[in-house]
Amino acid sequence: MRLFWPAVLMVATSCGLAEEGTQPVVSGAVGNKPVVAIPKGDPGRTSRITVVSVGSGRRTLPGDVVLVDVDIRRWYGNQPYSSTYDADQPTTVVFDGRQVAETWRRSLIGHPAGSRVMLVGPAAEALGPDVPATDVAPADPLVVVFDILGGYPPDARLVGRTLPVVPADLTPAAPPRMLIDGSGREITAGAKVVVQYVAASWPSRVVVDSSYRRGGPVAYPLRPGSVPQSWLNALVGQRVGCRMAVPSPGEQPRLYVIDVLDTITQA
């Protein structure tokens, strides 16, 4: 479902065509930070969307929460603006009808997981939700490259299972506990995991974070610094479809229950 193809296909889709010689060239494997070559000249005044490569996963659907890596560059000078690859954290795009630009919707909905899509347009149309508009004017042209990890229903959960609940006897000192065994692909270190989870504080056991409350599934790379060490210890070696109770000791202890919906291995 998550086989990433190299960037070999260029198909223009909607939003107008570029002027001759003014189309950026995107290279590099999907799942890795793209290399973008921006030609001389102006990009034109109309936003345009180009499918750079087509993935082989499930096609994203209207209503999906889309998990995506995003790299944004300024057209003039090819200067980096923002990149989820730098933060090592994919973003979750929730199409709530209010905050997401129409250009992002057209870029992300209707494409198979594993696809790479490029958007060229003015900042007013090219910046997405939660991307701060600093040092950029609404008319400044940007190049946005999306690597689509997948689309999931906002209430996606393990098939046939109830919502996760923190076990009453779970403590920060306890070892990770398998609550539901998974039967999908093995979860490897360095892969991205797509999860739904709840987190409770200790000792109050009050839920302080929940992907369900924040709009749906999220993706995290299983690497030190990107997730708590307790997640690495508990999830690596398990299989997609598992539900794990994961205590996380420290200055602010947390008790997690994590449902693993998918895993995405970087190309």
Side-chain angles (χ1 to χ4, degrees), residues 4-5 19 30 37 73 76 78 80 82 96 100 114 123 140 142 147 200 203-204 224 235:
F4 291 152
W5 297 4
E19 298 175 6
V30 176
R73 310 186 70 81
Y76 297 116
N78 198 1
S82 178
D96 57 6
V100 183
D140 288 347
L142 300 175
D147 283 350
S204 69
L235 298 182

Side-chain angles (χ1 to χ4, degrees), residues 20 35 44 50 52 55 58 62 65 78 91 97 106 122 130 132 143-144 157 171 173 195 199 201 209 226 265:
E20 183 71 24
V35 177
T50 303
V52 178
R58 170 186 175 273
V65 170
N78 198 1
T91 192
R106 293 202 302 271
D130 303 321
V143 179
V144 185
R157 64 182 73 178
T171 69
V195 301
S201 62
D209 190 15
S226 297
T265 302

Side-chain angles (χ1 to χ4, degrees), residues 165-171 177 202 205:
V165 176
V166 176
D169 60 346
L170 190 66
T171 69
R177 184 189 312 172
W202 175 265
R205 309 183 71 85

Side-chain angles (χ1 to χ4, degrees), residues 196-261:
Q196 291 268 43
Y197 71 91
V198 296
S201 62
W202 175 265
S204 69
R205 309 183 71 85
V206 172
V207 173
V208 293
D209 190 15
S210 168
S211 60
Y212 290 97
R213 294 178 181 176
R214 290 190 290 104
V218 289
Y220 293 106
L222 284 180
R223 287 190 281 269
S226 297
V227 294
Q229 183 61 42
S230 59
W231 284 41
L232 291 171
N233 297 340
L235 298 182
V236 172
Q238 305 298 339
R239 292 190 175 275
V240 170
C242 69
R243 173 175 290 175
M244 297 291 296
V246 183
S248 184
E251 293 183 5
Q252 293 183 319
R254 293 287 186 264
L255 307 174
Y256 294 97
V257 177
I258 305 169
D259 287 351
V260 181
L261 307 179

Side-chain angles (χ1 to χ4, degrees), residues 3-267:
L3 296 179
F4 291 152
W5 297 4
V8 295
L9 181 65
M10 271 287 187
V11 182
T13 61
S14 79
C15 292
L17 297 176
E19 298 175 6
E20 183 71 24
T22 60
Q23 179 78 341
V25 176
V26 181
S27 59
V30 176
N32 295 279
K33 188 174 182 178
V35 177
V36 182
I38 300 177
K40 296 179 181 179
D42 295 326
R45 292 171 292 182
T46 303
S47 293
R48 61 188 186 273
I49 297 165
T50 303
V51 177
V52 178
S53 63
V54 180
S56 59
R58 170 186 175 273
R59 191 176 297 274
T60 55
L61 301 173
D64 275 354
V65 170
V66 179
L67 306 182
V68 61
D69 273 307
V70 186
D71 186 80
I72 305 175
R73 310 186 70 81
R74 301 173 189 266
W75 177 278
Y76 297 116
N78 198 1
Q79 294 299 310
Y81 184 79
S82 178
S83 178
T84 61
Y85 282 107
D86 294 337
D88 200 21
Q89 177 56 65
T91 192
T92 301
V93 183
V94 180
F95 293 93
D96 57 6
R98 293 173 297 176
Q99 297 181 337
V100 183
E102 174 64 15
T103 51
W104 275 49
R105 188 193 65 78
R106 293 202 302 271
S107 297
L108 299 179
I109 295 298
H111 302 293
S115 297
R116 171 168 283 179
V117 179
M118 178 176 65
L119 163 64
V120 177
E125 299 179 10
L127 288 181
D130 303 321
V131 180
T134 56
D135 300 324
V136 63
D140 288 347
L142 300 175
V143 179
V144 185
V145 179
F146 301 98
D147 283 350
I148 300 173
L149 305 181
Y152 303 86
D155 60 349
R157 64 182 73 178
L158 300 184
V159 176
R161 304 294 184 173
T162 60
L163 295 176
V165 176
V166 176
D169 60 346
L170 190 66
T171 69
R177 184 189 312 172
M178 176 77 73
L179 301 179
I180 297 173
D181 200 4
S183 59
R185 291 188 302 277
E186 182 177 351
I187 303 165
T188 58
K192 294 182 176 76
V193 289
V194 178
V195 301
Q196 291 268 43
Y197 71 91
V198 296
S201 62
W202 175 265
S204 69
R205 309 183 71 85
V206 172
V207 173
V208 293
D209 190 15
S210 168
S211 60
Y212 290 97
R213 294 178 181 176
R214 290 190 290 104
V218 289
Y220 293 106
L222 284 180
R223 287 190 281 269
S226 297
V227 294
Q229 183 61 42
S230 59
W231 284 41
L232 291 171
N233 297 340
L235 298 182
V236 172
Q238 305 298 339
R239 292 190 175 275
V240 170
C242 69
R243 173 175 290 175
M244 297 291 296
V246 183
S248 184
E251 293 183 5
Q252 293 183 319
R254 293 287 186 264
L255 307 174
Y256 294 97
V257 177
I258 305 169
D259 287 351
V260 181
L261 307 179
D262 203 356
T263 184
I264 303 165
T265 302
Q266 185 169 295

